[in-house]
Amino acid sequence: MAAVEVPRDEQAFLEYVQAGGQIETGDWMPEDYRAKLIKFIEMHGNSELMGVLPEREWILRAPTLQRKLALTAKVQDEVGHAQLIYRVVEDLGKPREQCLADLVSGKSKFHNVFHYPTRTWGDVGVIAWLVDAAAIISQKALLKCSYAPYARIMKKICWEESFHILHGRDVILALVTGTPEQFELVQEALNRWWGPLMQFHGNPIPRDEDPMWRWRIKSQGNEEARQQFLEGYVPQIRELGLEVPDPKLHRGEDGVWAYSEPDWDELRHVVTGHGPMTEERLAFRSGFLDREQWVRDAVLAA
Amino acid sequence: MTQEVFEVFRQERKGRPFEHAGSVVAPDADFAEAWAREQYGRRGESAALWLVPRDAIRDVEDWADEFDLKYRRVDGYSIKTRLKEARERAAARPR
């Protein structure tokens, strides 16, 4: 069969990806497509790398050896994801060193949920269960990304994320079947995280106005992802006796969830580098980059 | 030292095909192996890995088909209309 040629003009390329066509590293691509891919994938890599910090803080404080080991394995996985993802960005033309420099200088972004503190073990459970659940909804949609090398590494990432969600759910189940104080720990954490969780998938712009959808980098719109999260997880939260802190939240007869308007100003403020933990975590990451410079030097001197 | 791209192909179980999984950048094959073991085999998810320097791959993507050699393929045979006609004729034939 004759090979399908990736078109070499922008309009035909757009039609090609919108019809489900996929692109490989060596293929021609419009500059705008390349730029959008780099921006999107780099932010994903940043989020994996910064996402381990809230959990890292709890490795030594985790209640049992089993939990410490599981948390360590999870942190190791997430850093591994960052490695895979930055490699894809690198192949698109932006070197890893530049990605890391832009991350610590605040030039590039990472997901809102990683700008907040982890106050208690309840927060660790909510992050591992619900933040990961929200993330896996986005990541599963990326299995269909028009840029094939990114879609391929997503297979491995989703496979590992499914263990993370189970680990999170296990932490939550242990707490809600424990003492009243332990149950309360989860409820308080859920109250703190619900706002950021509802902001996580982004503002509900129609998907046709979202350039990431237009280029089929994303295969679903923001609101579709949020609805999928609510549909999948609100019943699971409620069956444990937990209360979702939004009086307006309910499922309409048409199956669409209604909810209070998320605080979009907070989202903008946080992702532009003004979250409660942004500065501290970036300083921590930056310090490590400096301290580990000798490792990178040693590898290159080999 | 300059770094080189190695494409990583992984095999999920013995006997399965090796599938392209991603790539690593390393100063040499030994480092490439170390990175690939860590990134694609850490959780026992691979039975084997192939590491191939990207430059060693010969890419074949253009397929000449000047003579439209459809008779060698399934899509070269459209029997639907003729089958319909044959069935109609058979039904109309006096027994």
Side-chain angles (χ1 to χ4, degrees):
Chain A
M1 178 113 38
V4 179
E5 292 250 353
V6 174
R8 282 174 167 270
D9 84 86
E10 184 156 340
Q11 187 53 37
F13 182 96
L14 187 64
E15 283 162 19
Y16 171 76
V17 292
Q18 289 186 348
Q22 286 192 303
I23 308 298
E24 290 292 338
T25 312
D27 290 337
W28 180 87
M29 60 184 85
E31 275 317 300
D32 187 45
Y33 179 72
R34 185 184 297 274
K36 293 289 189 303
L37 274 178
I38 290 176
K39 187 178 171 206
F40 187 90
I41 303 175
E42 182 182 9
M43 181 183 170
H44 187 181
N46 291 346
S47 300
E48 297 280 2
L49 199 57
M50 296 306 288
V52 301
L53 298 185
E55 296 186 303
R56 176 202 160 273
E57 295 164 13
W58 278 88
I59 292 175
L60 293 178
R61 289 184 280 172
T64 65
L65 179 60
Q66 198 61 33
R67 293 289 191 221
K68 288 182 213 297
L69 291 171
L71 210 50
T72 311
K74 205 188 147 190
V75 164
Q76 187 186 28
D77 283 353
E78 311 282 16
V79 173
H81 299 170
Q83 304 270 18
L84 300 176
I85 294 167
Y86 282 138
R87 179 80 268 288
V88 173
V89 177
E90 201 162 42
D91 251 353
L92 285 164
K94 181 163 182 177
R96 176 191 308 238
E97 294 286 307
Q98 192 59 49
C99 294
L100 294 171
D102 287 352
L103 170 64
V104 296
S105 74
K107 197 177 163 203
S108 58
K109 296 190 177 101
F110 57 100
H111 267 306
N112 71 319
V113 284
F114 305 124
H115 293 259
Y116 292 90
T118 24
R119 295 223 176 91
T120 71
W121 181 243
D123 293 59
V124 178
V126 169
I127 293 173
W129 183 31
L130 296 176
V131 171
D132 276 39
I136 208 171
I137 286 170
S138 306
Q139 290 175 336
K140 277 203 171 142
L142 293 170
L143 290 167
K144 287 184 274 179
C145 178
S146 59
Y147 188 58
Y150 186 42
R152 283 198 290 268
I153 60 162
M154 213 51 65
K155 276 211 297 216
K156 177 189 160 66
I157 291 178
C158 288
W159 178 70
E160 288 181 353
E161 292 291 352
S162 39
F163 127 69
H164 299 171
I165 291 195
L166 270 182
H167 155 255
R169 207 163 175 218
D170 194 63
V171 168
I172 294 290
L173 284 175
L175 289 173
V176 298
T177 54
T179 63
E181 289 80 8
Q182 285 176 310
F183 185 92
E184 203 43 43
L185 212 59
V186 179
Q187 183 62 60
E188 284 168 10
L190 181 63
N191 296 348
R192 279 194 285 278
W193 286 91
W194 191 252
L197 274 168
M198 289 299 285
Q199 298 158 17
F200 181 82
H201 290 110
N203 63 341
I205 52 166
R207 65 184 194 184
D208 292 314
E209 290 169 28
D210 185 344
M212 299 303 175
W213 158 259
R214 191 169 162 266
W215 287 120
R216 294 302 186 273
I217 294 170
K218 293 200 301 201
S219 65
Q220 65 184 2
N222 293 350
E223 186 57 22
E224 284 171 84
R226 188 167 21 251
Q227 288 291 333
Q228 209 182 319
F229 172 74
L230 292 169
E231 181 73 11
Y233 289 89
V234 171
Q236 290 191 43
I237 295 169
R238 287 180 171 163
E239 75 178 359
L240 303 180
L242 295 163
E243 199 179 320
V244 179
D246 178 0
K248 286 192 187 159
L249 184 75
H250 71 275
R251 190 175 189 273
E253 278 175 16
D254 52 359
V256 178
W257 288 83
Y259 49 84
S260 303
E261 191 67 18
D263 188 342
W264 303 122
D265 288 337
E266 178 185 341
L267 176 64
R268 260 189 300 277
H269 190 68
V270 163
V271 295
T272 49
H274 308 94
M277 292 296 283
T278 313
E279 210 174 312
E280 192 180 320
R281 292 207 177 120
L282 284 179
F284 180 88
R285 180 55 71 207
S286 175
F288 257 89
L289 275 178
D290 292 344
R291 260 170 286 165
E292 290 160 354
Q293 183 60 45
W294 71 271
V295 179
R296 294 191 291 280
D297 292 345
V299 168
L300 288 178
Chain B
M1 185 184 263
T2 54
Q3 303 221 75
E4 197 183 347
V5 178
F6 290 79
E7 297 292 352
V8 180
F9 297 82
R10 57 178 283 265
Q11 187 189 40
E12 218 158 271
R13 276 176 289 128
K14 279 267 171 267
R16 305 297 299 169
F18 282 74
E19 279 190 9
H20 183 245
S23 60
V24 293
V25 173
D28 62 31
D30 290 334
F31 270 107
E33 180 181 327
W35 302 161
R37 276 179 183 276
E38 174 65 21
Q39 292 178 24
Y40 292 97
R42 188 174 73 242
R43 296 275 180 262
E45 71 269 41
S46 304
L49 299 175
W50 281 348
L51 301 180
V52 186
R54 181 176 282 177
D55 292 342
I57 293 176
R58 181 148 171 165
D59 206 18
V60 179
E61 265 204 294
D62 53 323
W63 302 93
D65 193 15
E66 287 92 347
F67 300 108
D68 188 21
L69 307 178
K70 271 176 136 181
Y71 56 85
R72 304 180 304 179
R73 299 193 303 264
V74 174
D75 69 344
Y77 297 89
S78 167
I79 60 167
K80 205 174 147 192
T81 343
R82 259 165 301 163
L83 183 61
K84 188 167 168 261
E85 193 190 328
R87 283 178 177 152
E88 281 164 5
R89 282 199 197 188
R93 198 170 291 144
R95 285 169 200 270

